[in-house]
Amino acid sequence: MSILPRLLLASIASLASMTAAQSADAKFPPVVFVHGNGDTAALWMTQFWRFESNGYPADHLFAVDIPHPSARADDNAQEVNRSSTTDAAQAVAAEVDEALKATGAEKVVIVANSRGCQTARNYVKNFGGAAKVERMVLGGCVHHGVFVLPNAAQGSEFNGAAPFLKNLSAEPEVLPGIPVTLIRSDKFDLYTQPEGKYVGMAGKPTGINYESQELKGADNRVIPGADHRETAYSKLAFEIIYQAITGEKAGTHAIVAEENPVLSGMITGYENGGPTNLPVPGAKLSIYATDPKTGERFGPAVYEKTVGADGVWGDFHARPSQTYEFDIKADGYPETRYFRGLLPRSFRYMDLRLQPAPAQGNFIFVKRPRGYFGPDDQATANGLILPGIDPNDPVPHVASANVPVAGDKPESVTAVFNGETIVGRYDPALKDTATYIEFTD
């Protein structure tokens, strides 16, 4: 064969390869997930797994960790370990640029929850994001405020009558060319209640109603019975998110296990009464395989690491059918023990958060980071309803329960939430220790 036909065939093959790659990128654009107030990228873990279980490429999924994740009381006033609306938008901008650089794509999709919704919209409207974002999917938002107070809290980014949200929601609420799918609860989101019980205004009207999350021009969806976080982190939310991005229904919302999951993330801490998404250098992590029936350690640690300046504790190669205890020791914090359920897939944002000394007394703390415990949930510890759940309060608002542990000997605690069972182990001999059971879903 002469040189010319060979060059022609090579060009055709190269063109076909480029076309196939462009088609794949169109179906699977890079997705940047944005967490809510006081939260962390780790909350998106199960949604990453559901995307990947439906064939979405893992290297097209990204998540923001806003360094100071909680909002300032007054957006214009400096506050230790609190971020302004500008700080938060710039954190999103940096992650979007990272996603574009890593994938070579021209635009991303943003998926956000709670404060992350207004942060994403602020980035798109005021920080150059309009040229880099092709679509947004927003769940559990407070677009028109948590409250509406014309004569107070004018620096709050959660006040629907204050400049930030008024300017952000000036029409058009959805910018031309950037479709928005919005997911809300029918009436169980604690931050869009007509009465102010859940936002420190008990007995007073908030000026907000159940529909206040919606945006004019958006594809507004409702998940009946969903709580504030379930609008973004639940199985039903995933189905809406996936279809909005791909144009196709998800094949499954089940999580398909990998043969060799690799896990990593940062060890982070607290400052000025709030969580950070900044590293805790020098923290020592020990991971133990545990008996799923008793929570007892099977033997010595299967993985140990003292983290460096970046706080990164991985890479840990897990067994998808094994339960684990994560034990963390760091200066200025109690020894912290996390009992987790199965970890069937890889995840690089699995942050482990340290908190100040826990409540006095013998407790094991049961947490649900991706939602709240409601009166209709099966949420128990050793067969008893978790403390703090009021069967007469229909709005789920408890995400962490302090379960008292009696006796002076080590005790197993079996926590159940809607079919997921995790057994933790409390040892009263371990002083200055905080022990947590953390649900996955």
Side-chain angles (χ1 to χ4, degrees):
M1 185 181 292
S2 67
I3 293 177
L4 186 59
R6 286 178 181 174
L7 291 175
L8 181 60
L9 287 173
S11 297
I12 293 171
S14 176
L15 180 61
S17 176
M18 289 174 60
T19 302
Q22 290 169 351
S23 177
D25 284 344
K27 183 178 180 181
F28 300 122
V31 184
V32 175
F33 294 81
V34 187
H35 63 73
N37 196 48
D39 288 334
T40 165
L43 267 65
W44 296 107
M45 179 174 71
T46 51
Q47 299 298 43
F48 270 52
W49 289 348
R50 292 182 182 112
F51 267 86
E52 294 167 15
S53 295
N54 281 274
Y56 215 97
D59 61 3
H60 277 49
L61 301 174
F62 301 82
V64 179
D65 256 326
I66 298 172
H68 305 288
S70 299
R72 296 175 179 176
D74 184 330
D75 195 43
N76 301 306
Q78 292 282 346
E79 190 175 355
V80 174
N81 190 33
R82 301 293 188 273
S83 55
S84 67
T85 54
T86 295
D87 296 333
Q90 288 174 340
V92 173
E95 192 67 27
V96 167
D97 288 347
E98 180 65 27
L100 295 177
K101 179 180 178 182
T103 61
E106 294 183 357
K107 293 187 177 183
V108 305
V109 173
I110 289 181
V111 177
N113 171 243
S114 192
R115 184 197 185 198
C117 301
Q118 62 216 50
T119 298
R121 292 176 64 220
N122 189 27
Y123 161 65
V124 168
K125 186 173 184 177
N126 299 313
F127 289 85
K132 300 178 181 180
V133 176
E134 67 175 60
R135 174 181 293 275
M136 292 192 286
V137 189
L138 311 175
C141 310
V142 291
H143 299 300
H144 301 101
V146 172
F147 47 78
V148 178
L149 299 175
N151 299 313
Q154 289 298 292
S156 172
E157 68 173 271
F158 300 111
N159 184 359
F164 174 70
L165 284 183
K166 286 177 68 176
N167 293 337
L168 193 60
S169 292
E171 293 193 16
E173 291 189 333
V174 173
L175 296 183
I178 305 177
V180 173
T181 300
L182 190 138
I183 311 171
R184 70 170 178 89
S185 174
D186 49 352
K187 56 181 179 180
F188 296 105
D189 189 317
L190 76 165
Y191 294 117
T192 49
Q193 295 292 316
E195 191 269 338
K197 174 181 178 179
Y198 306 103
V199 294
M201 297 169 53
K204 298 179 181 179
T206 60
I208 295 298
N209 58 45
Y210 303 131
E211 293 78 33
S212 292
Q213 292 189 32
E214 295 191 352
L215 291 174
K216 295 176 184 177
D219 177 12
N220 294 295
R221 304 289 191 91
V222 177
I223 301 179
D227 69 34
H228 178 64
R229 289 180 176 171
E230 288 171 343
T231 56
Y233 303 112
S234 66
K235 298 180 180 71
L236 293 178
F238 164 73
E239 293 175 358
I240 297 171
I241 296 167
Y242 186 87
Q243 187 168 14
I245 294 173
T246 66
E248 301 176 358
K249 289 186 176 181
T252 180
H253 57 54
I255 295 167
V256 179
E258 290 180 298
E259 185 175 343
N260 182 29
V262 181
L263 300 159
S264 187
M266 280 196 300
I267 295 177
T268 62
Y270 255 65
E271 186 180 4
N272 189 29
T276 76
N277 286 326
L278 296 174
V280 180
K284 181 179 180 180
L285 171 67
S286 300
I287 302 177
Y288 299 87
T290 60
D291 185 328
K293 295 181 179 179
T294 66
E296 294 182 85
R297 298 171 179 176
F298 277 136
V302 296
Y303 179 84
E304 291 184 309
K305 183 173 181 179
T306 299
V307 304
D310 61 4
V312 175
W313 58 263
D315 290 334
F316 168 57
H317 293 255
R319 291 168 52 197
S321 59
Q322 177 63 60
T323 54
Y324 294 97
E325 173 196 343
F326 292 74
D327 184 283
I328 311 160
K329 298 176 181 177
D331 292 341
Y333 294 93
E335 180 177 351
T336 300
R337 304 169 69 201
Y338 278 103
F339 289 86
R340 305 291 295 264
L342 300 179
L343 299 165
R345 296 193 65 87
S346 301
F347 189 60
R348 63 188 185 277
Y349 301 103
M350 188 177 158
D351 296 352
L352 301 173
R353 181 170 281 172
L354 297 172
Q355 301 183 44
Q360 295 298 310
N362 294 345
F363 295 95
I364 193 164
F365 303 93
V366 180
K367 301 174 64 177
R368 187 190 174 207
R370 296 169 186 86
Y372 297 85
F373 300 117
D376 296 329
D377 292 319
Q378 181 193 19
T380 62
N382 286 348
L384 300 177
I385 295 175
L386 292 179
I389 298 178
D390 182 353
N392 298 312
D393 189 337
V395 180
H397 61 279
V398 175
S400 181
N402 300 0
V403 178
V405 182
D408 56 2
K409 295 181 180 179
E411 180 179 338
S412 296
V413 175
T414 301
V416 176
F417 174 72
N418 292 351
E420 182 179 11
T421 299
I422 303 176
V423 181
R425 188 86 172 162
Y426 182 84
D427 188 346
L430 298 176
K431 303 300 182 183
D432 192 29
T433 299
T435 304
Y436 298 89
I437 291 174
E438 184 173 305
F439 287 112
T440 304
D441 244 346

